[in-house]
Amino acid sequence: MCFLPATLEMIGMVIVAPLILGISRLDAAIMGAVVAAVSPAVVVPKMIRCIDEKRGTGKGIPQMILAGASVDDVFVIVMFATFTSLAKGEGVSFWKLAGVPVSIVTGIAVGFLLGIILNIFWKKIHIRDSAKVIVLLAVSLFMVVAEDRFPMVPFASLIGVMISGLAIRMKDEKIAARLSAKFDRLWVPSEIFLFVLVGASVEIRSAADAGLKVILLLAVVMLFRMAGVVLCMLGTKLNFKERLFCAFAYMPKATVQAAIGGLPLAMGLDCGNIVLTVSVLAILITAPLGAFAIDLTYKRFLEEESAI
């Protein structure tokens, strides 16, 4: 779930995009790296709700999707940097490729350590839950900034943030439940703010001019991605409905596409405009469809864990 769905989606883009859009294989690879990332802004809150309602937690389905989607984003961003370096004639950075597994390990280790430290701190020094939320946000932002400021040390900040929350929950479920309720209320205005910014990055004229070709392309590569999810589920104890839910949960695309979709254009690459257009349409189509699919199916497809 960390690599296979995104890899198959990029392969699908490399195969299909030149046929439909008439672009080069390298341009298609750049486009595939942009489109292949899962949106944490859509997936994370949905999976946290599944965990809170104990839907699918007996088989670890939402936890698996959370972990897989976080690593998926790290992997795709590294591939994007690799393909754009090739397009600019800089060659492949094998250090970045080798740093992917290292960044995952360091992200898990740092996130777990910080989560444990925060839990110990809160037990010894009593502060209000609102203050704990601010502290946790500050620690999370520190991890995100550290990833950019210290590139010599591979570090997956998204995984670190997620693991820190899981560490807090593991050590004290009562504190975790109260903090989760606070973050739920905080997410309501943040969600509006985030997607307004995403919408502001959309060039409506480019999206309208793209026509049905891009929509067809996205539909085809989405099939490649779903095939990757199905392959990941082989040999597991998940039933058909649970596997289908996992495929739906890996559909939404928004934040990563909004963040890096315009970079090829800013770099002056020939594929910049078409990559931005495809990124915009991927956001407009998959984010609402994926969110609706998760909301409509999680109670029907995932078993509720019985209380002991």
Side-chain angles (χ1 to χ4, degrees):
M1 293 291 280
C2 299
F3 309 101
L4 188 57
T7 299
L8 285 187
E9 188 171 3
M10 285 187 282
I11 291 173
M13 187 70 78
V14 171
I15 295 172
V16 179
L19 300 176
I20 295 178
L21 301 178
I23 61 177
S24 69
R25 299 289 182 189
L26 181 55
D27 290 345
I30 295 172
M31 185 182 298
V34 172
V35 173
V38 180
S39 172
V42 177
V43 174
V44 171
K46 304 292 185 186
M47 294 306 106
I48 290 176
R49 183 174 64 184
C50 289
I51 294 173
D52 291 339
E53 297 182 13
K54 297 189 181 301
R55 292 280 179 177
T57 52
K59 296 182 179 179
I61 295 173
Q63 298 94 321
M64 174 186 66
I65 293 172
L66 275 175
S70 300
V71 180
D72 176 278
D73 290 341
V74 176
F75 170 66
V76 166
I77 290 172
V78 170
M79 297 307 298
F80 172 77
T82 301
F83 293 142
T84 51
S85 295
L86 283 174
K88 292 187 293 184
E90 297 176 0
V92 178
S93 175
F94 291 102
W95 166 247
K96 289 182 179 179
L97 292 175
V100 173
V102 177
S103 67
I104 294 170
V105 173
T106 55
I108 292 173
V110 172
F112 185 80
L113 179 62
L114 289 176
I116 297 298
I117 291 173
L118 286 176
N119 200 277
I120 295 173
F121 173 76
W122 290 334
K123 285 185 176 180
K124 292 189 175 182
I125 301 177
H126 177 72
I127 59 176
R128 298 181 60 180
D129 289 341
S130 300
K132 292 175 184 174
V133 168
I134 295 174
V135 171
L136 188 54
L137 283 173
V139 170
S140 300
L141 290 173
F142 168 77
M143 284 190 276
V144 173
V145 172
E147 182 180 9
D148 294 331
R149 292 294 180 90
F150 304 102
M152 69 291 297
V153 180
F155 175 66
S157 60
L158 292 177
I159 297 176
V161 171
M162 182 186 68
I163 294 298
S164 64
L166 292 177
I168 293 171
R169 186 184 184 93
M170 182 183 69
K171 289 297 182 180
D172 195 326
E173 289 193 5
K174 292 183 178 179
I175 291 179
R178 296 201 305 269
L179 292 180
S180 179
K182 291 283 186 182
F183 276 108
D184 284 343
R185 288 193 288 271
L186 183 64
W187 174 247
V188 174
S190 301
E191 186 175 25
I192 297 172
F193 182 71
L194 173 64
F195 283 99
V196 165
L197 290 179
V198 172
S201 70
V202 173
E203 292 188 6
I204 301 298
R205 181 176 297 179
S206 297
D209 292 342
L212 296 176
K213 289 184 177 180
V214 174
I215 297 175
L216 175 62
L217 173 64
L218 291 172
V220 173
V221 297
M222 191 59 63
L223 292 177
F224 275 83
R225 184 174 194 84
M226 288 185 171
V229 175
V230 171
L231 288 175
C232 292
M233 299 296 105
L234 294 178
T236 67
K237 296 182 180 180
L238 302 187
N239 58 40
F240 174 76
K241 289 184 178 180
E242 290 166 339
R243 297 182 187 193
L244 187 58
F245 175 81
C246 293
F248 288 155
Y250 259 43
M251 283 179 58
K253 305 172 187 300
T255 42
V256 177
Q257 287 71 29
I260 67 176
L263 291 183
L265 185 61
M267 294 174 184
L269 300 180
D270 294 337
C271 62
N273 190 52
I274 189 62
V275 169
L276 177 59
T277 299
V278 173
S279 302
V280 166
L281 285 176
I283 295 170
L284 293 176
I285 294 171
T286 64
L289 282 179
F292 287 142
I294 294 171
D295 287 339
L296 291 174
T297 60
Y298 83 99
K299 288 185 178 180
R300 299 178 183 178
F301 291 2
L302 301 182
E303 297 178 1
E304 185 175 6
E305 186 179 3
S306 58
I308 300 176

